[in-house]
Structure formats: C-alpha cells, structure tokens
Amino acid sequence: MSNTKPFSKNKKNKSSSLNFGIAFAAAIFLAVLVFAVVKINTLCPNSEITAKQPTFLYVQTAHSGTLSSSREDGKRTLKLQGVSPVTAYFSERPNKLTGHESTEEFISEWSEGEDSFGDSPPNAALDIIGNNSQSIAIVELMSAKYDSTTQTLEYEILMLEDETAGNIPESFGEVALFIDSAWKDYHCNCEPSSGKKECKCRYRYTLGKSSTKEFRGYCNQDSTYPSGISVTGRKSATSCTVRIFEQLYATRSCTNWDPTSRDELNITVHCSKR
C-alpha cells in the first residue's frame, strides 16, 4: 500500500484548532502506550528487546456528532455525521509507518475473524474541538455501524473514566476519534520432551484487509519462558516485527498492506526450558 495523506480532502476545510486537537490527543494516547511499555520493562529488568514493535493508532474524523444519555446498561450512542470516508493509521516512533483504508472497509471487518473488535472491543480517545475549548473522553467502542451514503457513523460506547463523562456535550462540532490497536493472546503450555530444550504450539489466524494485529505468545511460567513467536505462510504484502520480553511474553505485530484480500497466517509460539 502506498502511503497517502491520512485524511480525506475534506480536511482542507477544517480549522487549525482541529489540527491542534488531533495532535494533542495523539500525544496523550501515545504517552499512555509508552508508560505501559516502561512499566513492563520495570517488572522484567532482564528482558531483551530484539526489535522495536510498531504500535498503531487508527484515526477517524467527522464534522459533527451527538452523544445520548447513559442507559440502564451504562452504554451510550455516539453518532458522528460528515465522517471522512478514509480511516488513517500511524505508528509510534521510531517507526514511520502510515497508511489508510476506507472507513466502510474498516467497519465491515469489525466483527470478522478470531478475536475481532466485536469480541474484544477497542478503547478510543474522543477529541471534540469547540470554538474556545477542547473536550476529551476515553471510551470503549462496543459496536459500530456505518452508512457510506449519508456519511454517518454510529458507535455504542461505554465511558471508561467517570470524570470525563461530563466533558462531552449532547451535540458538538468537529471531532476526531483515536482508536487503539488490538492484540491476540496465545497461551502455550507445552513441556519440552526428554533431551529437548524447546517446545512449540501452532495456531492459525486470518488477518483482515489492510489491517494490523499484535500477536502475544505466553508459555507455562513454572517451567518455560517465551523465546519467540514466528509467523509463516504470509503473503508478500504482509510484514511483521517482533519483540521479546523473556519472562512475560513474546509478541509479533503484523500488517497486511493489501487493501483487497485477507491473509492466512500460521502462528507458532516457541517456549524454552528454564
């Protein structure tokens, strides 16, 4: 996939305040991700990172929106109008990976495949830009529905921070939504056979069109530790990077750059004897 400008041509009509708000919200979200990595390294000081794994954020923009009151189940309806037909994504530095897919395609794959967003809802930062103010709320996106004809996007959401719930008005103007990437856990409880130092477990996963997934491999901590996680059988359009935390888990992040077809991956978790 060739890199393109991550937003639609409608972005030319957006105010500079929206640009500032997007950058500000992205900085907050990335800071949280960096803190998580630092925390894991603190818990595991002897870990060795073999490669820098990219972390992705997905970005959606709209001209206006509404937020319903909380229902008995705690959910609210977030409705966005004038939604960009393009959903962009970008990685944290030092990686400089960017790309985009159609918003229609992004939403159509919401509940597809193993461990989809439908099964494991993603978190998101909702950033609303006013004339003289900015409102940010951290939410969980429970379901999604998109109408490309009317450029309307509807999410069922849960507020993850009570103190931010009151920041969002019932109706608002320019808005950006930053959606975090998801991962898939694989637990391998194999034991090395006599005379062997390593054992492995194999799984299969279908990677969606123009999508990114992080795979995490865990081993039986009593007797083994994760020495690696490998991915085979992938198409030339799919690229992967690996990171290993020796005492906790090994991860591999894969991106399918093909906007027209899915990719069948073979995931292997490697466990070594302690």
Side-chain angles (χ1 to χ4, degrees):
M1 175 187 297
S2 61
N3 293 343
T4 63
K5 292 184 178 180
F7 300 102
S8 71
K9 59 185 179 182
N10 291 333
K11 184 183 176 184
K12 295 179 180 179
N13 299 324
K14 295 186 177 181
S15 64
S16 59
S17 61
L18 176 58
N19 295 331
F20 173 79
I22 291 174
F24 180 74
I28 292 176
F29 217 92
L30 290 177
V32 173
L33 295 174
V34 170
F35 173 80
V37 173
V38 171
K39 186 65 175 177
I40 291 174
N41 276 298
T42 301
L43 296 173
C44 182
N46 295 323
S47 64
E48 294 181 4
I49 300 177
T50 58
K52 179 64 176 177
Q53 174 197 347
T55 301
F56 289 88
L57 287 180
Y58 298 90
V59 186
Q60 296 175 335
T61 60
H63 289 306
S64 62
T66 59
L67 179 65
S68 71
S69 300
S70 179
R71 301 192 292 269
E72 290 185 1
D73 59 3
K75 294 181 182 179
R76 300 169 180 239
T77 299
L78 173 66
K79 189 172 183 179
L80 305 178
Q81 289 105 8
V83 176
S84 168
V86 171
T87 293
Y89 56 84
F90 62 94
S91 63
E92 179 190 357
R93 65 176 186 175
N95 298 286
K96 302 184 184 301
L97 304 175
T98 63
H100 72 275
E101 63 177 306
S102 72
T103 298
E104 185 173 17
E105 181 73 23
F106 181 85
I107 299 301
S108 70
E109 296 179 344
W110 192 268
S111 298
E112 289 188 4
E114 184 184 4
D115 192 43
S116 65
F117 277 164
D119 295 328
S120 179
N123 297 335
L126 179 66
D127 184 16
I128 297 170
I129 307 300
N131 291 332
N132 298 305
S133 63
Q134 181 175 21
S135 301
I136 297 177
I138 306 303
V139 304
E140 185 176 8
L141 304 178
M142 307 304 297
S143 65
K145 183 170 60 176
Y146 179 64
D147 187 333
S148 59
T149 303
T150 60
Q151 291 187 314
T152 301
L153 180 56
E154 190 172 299
Y155 287 108
E156 294 297 309
I157 69 169
L158 284 174
M159 291 286 185
L160 295 184
E161 296 183 6
D162 292 337
E163 60 270 22
T164 66
N167 293 344
I168 307 302
E170 292 182 357
S171 60
F172 44 85
E174 303 287 0
V175 59
L177 189 66
F178 297 85
I179 306 172
D180 70 358
S181 58
W183 58 81
K184 171 61 182 169
D185 292 342
Y186 294 97
H187 295 268
C188 181
N189 293 315
C190 66
E191 295 288 342
S193 57
S194 178
K196 301 292 185 179
K197 295 183 178 181
E198 184 182 91
C199 59
K200 60 186 70 174
C201 300
R202 292 186 173 89
Y203 308 87
R204 290 186 65 83
Y205 183 83
T206 300
L207 190 63
K209 304 173 185 177
S210 299
S211 65
T212 297
K213 176 70 73 171
E214 175 184 315
F215 305 101
R216 295 188 178 188
Y218 295 83
C219 296
N220 186 339
Q221 296 184 7
D222 294 333
S223 58
T224 60
Y225 67 90
S227 56
I229 181 170
S230 59
V231 182
T232 59
R234 62 179 188 261
K235 299 177 181 178
S236 58
T238 300
S239 58
C240 303
T241 57
V242 69
R243 177 175 66 187
I244 298 177
F245 292 105
E246 287 188 347
Q247 303 302 317
L248 295 176
Y249 55 81
T251 73
R252 186 173 288 267
S253 178
C254 297
T255 298
N256 177 18
W257 301 99
D258 190 337
T260 61
S261 66
R262 294 170 175 79
D263 198 353
E264 295 294 331
L265 304 181
N266 300 309
I267 314 296
T268 304
V269 179
H270 303 266
C271 299
S272 295
K273 185 180 295 184
R274 289 188 181 278

